[in-house]
Amino acid sequence: MTHRRGLLIILSSPSGAGKSTLSRRLRDWDENVLFSVSATTRPAREGEIEGKDYFFLPTDTFKHQVNEGQMLEHAYVFGNLYGSPKSPVETAIEQGRDVLFDIDWQGAQQIQNSDLGKHTLSIFLLPPSIAELRRRLESRGQDSPEVIAKRMKKSWDEISHWAEYDYVLTNDDLDATDRKLKQIISAARLRRIQQPELTQHVRKLQMEFEDRT
């Protein structure tokens, strides 16, 4: 099997559009799809495991890694820093494994503008309607009305950046969206830049051609 470079798969959406469910399906579909483990300066919560749930870093260490270019993206959220360490991602894509990022449009822009940006595949999920988005948030039963109101208010800010992504899918049917998502990833894996052995193969073809002429 020809070696390929992995993809940095960015999946963004407003809360309630189905991103978490589709991310789980992708990981079940192919063991070569890894979920990016973020770094954070917040303390570990009960049951969280270092390196599996998060990389827990002191604030000074986190800021040093940002300054040294060791974070693909980072943000300040509710009093703590969060970011995506670069080294594990580089290792994964050189091994031919895809790394899945569940991030917002700001994080997506940072990754796309990084030196690994050429390997990114960005996909945005739209809800079929705002009313359906609210219904999904309410049906989960996880958030208070106040939290749902905040998520709804933020949703349009997320949706307004839809045109900055490579692909946009309207998640009106989960199974259909799942199939489309896998088709997009399968095609992106065949992009020329993801196949480092192509150059060597073409050179071999050229030598064979010259030997016959």
Side-chain angles (χ1 to χ4, degrees), residues 24-76:
R24 287 194 298 270
R25 287 192 176 200
L26 283 179
R27 295 174 68 191
D28 291 339
W29 168 61
D30 190 336
E31 63 181 10
N32 285 314
V33 177
L34 309 175
F35 199 79
S36 173
V37 179
S38 297
T40 181
T41 58
R42 73 160 173 78
R45 295 169 183 158
E46 185 176 353
E48 289 183 329
I49 300 172
E50 168 73 22
K52 180 180 179 182
D53 298 294
Y54 286 96
F55 296 106
F56 298 98
L57 302 177
T59 299
D60 289 346
T61 302
F62 191 106
K63 291 181 177 179
H64 174 76
Q65 291 190 10
V66 169
N67 293 334
E68 292 296 312
Q70 297 173 18
M71 290 286 176
L72 281 171
E73 57 85 26
H74 66 279
Y76 187 75

Side-chain angles (χ1 to χ4, degrees), residues 144-209:
S144 66
E146 292 77 18
V147 171
I148 290 175
K150 289 180 181 179
R151 292 188 186 279
M152 289 299 301
K153 186 175 181 180
K154 185 181 177 183
S155 66
W156 183 249
D157 179 54
E158 293 286 340
I159 291 171
S160 68
H161 292 274
W162 66 274
E164 299 166 16
Y165 288 73
D166 298 323
Y167 293 87
V168 180
L169 299 174
T170 299
N171 185 22
D172 50 2
D173 181 302
L174 187 63
D175 290 336
T177 304
D178 181 42
R179 287 193 298 271
K180 292 174 185 176
L181 192 57
K182 291 168 183 175
Q183 289 170 351
I184 290 169
I185 292 170
S186 295
R189 287 172 170 175
L190 298 176
R191 292 190 309 207
R192 176 176 53 82
I193 197 170
Q194 303 307 125
Q195 301 185 70
E197 295 179 359
L198 281 180
T199 300
Q200 183 179 354
H201 179 63
V202 173
R203 286 175 181 163
K204 181 182 176 183
L205 293 176
Q206 182 183 14
M207 291 175 64
E208 291 179 5
F209 178 80

